Amino acid sequence: MEWFDLTVVTGSLPEFWRGLWMTLHLTAIALVVGFGFAVPLSIARLSKNPWVSAPVRAYTYFFRGTPMLVQLLLIYYGVGQSEWMQGMWEAGNPFWLLFRDAYFCALLAFTLNTCAYQLEMFAGAIRNTPHGEVEAATAMGMTRSTALRRIILPSALRRALPPLSNEVILMLQGSAIASAVTLVDLTGAARNVYSRHYAPFEAFIFAGLLYLAVTFVLVGLFRVAENRWLAHLQPRRTASAQKD
């Protein structure tokens, strides 16, 4: 094909693989760390004490209500380059070194963003826990904390799998903004290939195919997880339907 030069792709494969690796581990670490914070914060989100729930609501309102690119730029160019942050370095506090690093800023922005979405998913799943499960735990003499740990949270996390799969895929695709702060992720690698060879179709089509392949794998993994842990929620097939 005249409009697609395969040699551009094959000659740039190492750069694409490095970019893909950067995308994958940035996304994976952000999702795992965000999950670790989202679970306890989702419980705080449902607290009847406004001093506990209000800060969590404000946090989710900001990070779900603003674009992730804006959040990343605020952290990297705003906090990282601010006078008071640089003053910390002059005062001998090495904390500024973290915000000078583009990788740390991207990871922090991605983690804060996905944590806000995940905690709202988990809070909604906890809120919608079937009342019968709570009553059964109470009848067995479980305290609120015990029921939360043994019954409510496991049930909520299982039911949160479908929306969580969407968040994982959106986080993977949203990580493409990492190149805005000089990181060479998969999108950044495609931009470099394009600028070097002036081949937009080859660079971005191949990058899109890699994103598509990873998305396909993630969808398959979540489908397996849902079939295992949410099988009881799937409609039963009648005997006549099974014969058909």
Side-chain angles (χ1 to χ4, degrees):
M1 293 180 292
E2 295 182 357
W3 59 273
F4 194 94
D5 187 358
L6 190 60
T7 59
V8 172
V9 175
T10 56
S12 306
L13 282 178
E15 188 168 4
F16 277 114
W17 298 142
R18 288 192 297 269
L20 177 61
W21 172 245
M22 172 68 74
T23 292
L24 290 178
H25 71 73
L26 255 179
T27 304
I29 295 174
L31 288 167
V32 171
V33 177
F35 176 86
F37 284 102
V39 174
L41 286 175
S42 64
I43 300 173
R45 172 71 173 82
L46 299 174
S47 174
K48 296 180 180 180
N49 186 343
W51 293 101
V52 176
S53 60
V56 180
R57 285 200 302 270
Y59 160 68
T60 58
Y61 183 79
F62 175 80
F63 280 95
R64 295 174 70 213
T66 56
M68 189 162 59
L69 177 59
V70 173
Q71 299 161 17
L72 175 59
L73 296 179
L74 281 175
I75 292 174
Y76 184 68
Y77 292 109
V79 177
Q81 307 300 326
S82 62
E83 293 183 1
W84 64 271
M85 183 61 72
Q86 294 181 13
M88 294 178 66
W89 169 249
E90 296 174 358
N93 191 330
F95 189 66
W96 177 70
L97 292 175
L98 292 175
F99 286 90
R100 191 179 63 175
D101 181 41
Y103 180 86
F104 173 80
C105 291
L107 185 59
L108 179 61
F110 294 168
T111 301
L112 292 173
N113 184 274
T114 188
C115 179
Y117 281 94
Q118 288 187 53
L119 81 86
E120 286 292 344
M121 295 174 195
F122 300 150
I126 293 172
R127 190 184 295 112
N128 294 325
T129 300
H131 192 61
E133 295 182 8
V134 180
E135 287 184 339
T138 304
M140 294 181 65
M142 293 186 186
T143 62
R144 173 65 179 175
S145 59
T146 303
L148 187 66
R149 186 176 69 254
R150 294 184 179 180
I151 305 297
I152 300 174
L153 271 181
S155 175
L157 293 178
R158 286 196 300 269
R159 286 181 284 105
L161 276 175
L164 182 60
S165 67
N166 292 332
E167 169 58 17
V168 171
I169 293 170
L170 290 174
M171 190 67 236
L172 170 71
Q173 298 171 355
S175 67
I177 65 173
S179 57
V181 291
T182 71
L183 289 179
V184 184
D185 64 335
L186 182 54
T187 301
R191 287 178 178 174
N192 291 343
V193 172
Y194 162 59
S195 62
R196 187 165 60 249
H197 297 282
Y198 299 99
F201 288 108
E202 293 84 346
F204 292 110
I205 287 178
F206 187 68
L209 290 175
L210 291 177
Y211 278 115
L212 190 64
V214 176
T215 301
F216 180 80
V217 172
L218 290 174
V219 170
L221 291 175
F222 272 99
R223 184 170 298 174
V224 171
E226 291 175 20
N227 289 336
R228 178 174 181 178
W229 289 307
L230 294 178
H232 63 288
L233 296 180
Q234 297 178 359
R236 291 185 177 181
R237 298 177 61 188
T238 62
S240 59
Q242 292 176 355
K243 291 179 181 180
D244 295 339

